[in-house]
Amino acid sequence: METAVLVDQPGTFVVVSTLGVFTAAFYSKGSPNALGIFKKIITFPPFLMFVLACLMNIFDYNLNENFQLVLLKIGSLVTPLALLSVGLQLTFDRKSQHWKFLRLGLFFKLLLVPFIIFVLYVFVFNQHSEVIKITLMETAMAPMITGAILASTYGLKPKLSSMMIGFGIPISFVTLAFWYFILSFI
């Protein structure tokens, strides 16, 4: 579990909070400028809280237990609210132009990239450790809700991003079982 948290928080989350915000701001409507994009990155609330948490960890600062309990209760609402907000945007329009991009994106995210990581680490580098298995499972996870919210916020195909989450999560149950089965043999 510790390895998964280390891969997810400082790795994936920092990339989404920095490069993700940069990419979204750069390709969103309006004229991108370096200062404006930098300001959007450093004022992105999840990134600010991540930096604050890192500083608190470095300086070994602990919050009051009652305050921690309140934050824990509030934090437990984040995932359901994020799923609800993305789910409310999800529509099943059979004539949508996004279906081929959805298939391509989910194929890339759930099958192709994990396959490349699997071949690279298991066959090319001959690695078989728990860290490699965790890395592969993290790679094969459904698309990030934070990424979908970011894309929607910046007007970057919000319908497609909500479809990626809405279809990606249930489909990933099957593909993760597949990858878990494959990894049980190495």
Side-chain angles (χ1 to χ4, degrees), residues 158-172:
K159 189 171 184 178
L160 177 60
S161 63
S162 67
M163 287 173 73
M164 288 287 288
I165 299 298
F167 289 102
I169 290 173
I171 292 171
S172 73

Side-chain angles (χ1 to χ4, degrees), residues 48-98:
L48 287 173
M49 292 300 106
F50 177 75
V51 170
L52 179 64
C54 288
L55 290 173
M56 289 173 65
N57 195 13
I58 289 169
F59 294 113
D60 198 29
Y61 180 79
N62 292 312
L63 295 171
N64 177 307
E65 286 185 30
N66 291 329
F67 191 61
Q68 284 183 26
L69 185 61
V70 169
L71 290 177
L72 200 63
K73 296 290 184 189
I74 293 171
S76 68
L77 297 173
V78 171
T79 301
L81 287 175
L83 284 169
L84 181 66
S85 67
V86 170
L88 288 174
Q89 296 177 33
L90 186 61
T91 58
F92 298 97
D93 181 12
R94 291 180 188 223
K95 295 179 183 180
S96 175
Q97 63 184 2
H98 299 298

Side-chain angles (χ1 to χ4, degrees), residues 2-4 6-7 117 121-122 127-139 183 186:
E2 293 161 350
T3 306
L6 284 174
V7 168
I117 297 295
Y121 280 99
V122 174
Q127 299 291 314
H128 303 283
S129 69
E130 281 297 308
V131 173
I132 299 305
K133 292 177 182 179
I134 292 168
T135 301
L136 183 74
M137 291 302 286
E138 282 280 335
T139 304
L183 289 174
I186 67 166

Side-chain angles (χ1 to χ4, degrees), residues 86 89-91 98-110 141-145 147-149 151-152 156-172:
V86 170
Q89 296 177 33
L90 186 61
T91 58
H98 299 298
W99 287 106
K100 65 181 176 180
F101 299 111
L102 175 69
R103 284 191 299 270
L104 178 65
L106 290 178
F107 170 75
F108 183 83
K109 175 69 179 110
L110 302 176
M141 291 285 183
M144 286 181 71
I145 292 173
I149 292 172
S152 294
L156 301 173
K157 303 285 184 199
K159 189 171 184 178
L160 177 60
S161 63
S162 67
M163 287 173 73
M164 288 287 288
I165 299 298
F167 289 102
I169 290 173
I171 292 171
S172 73

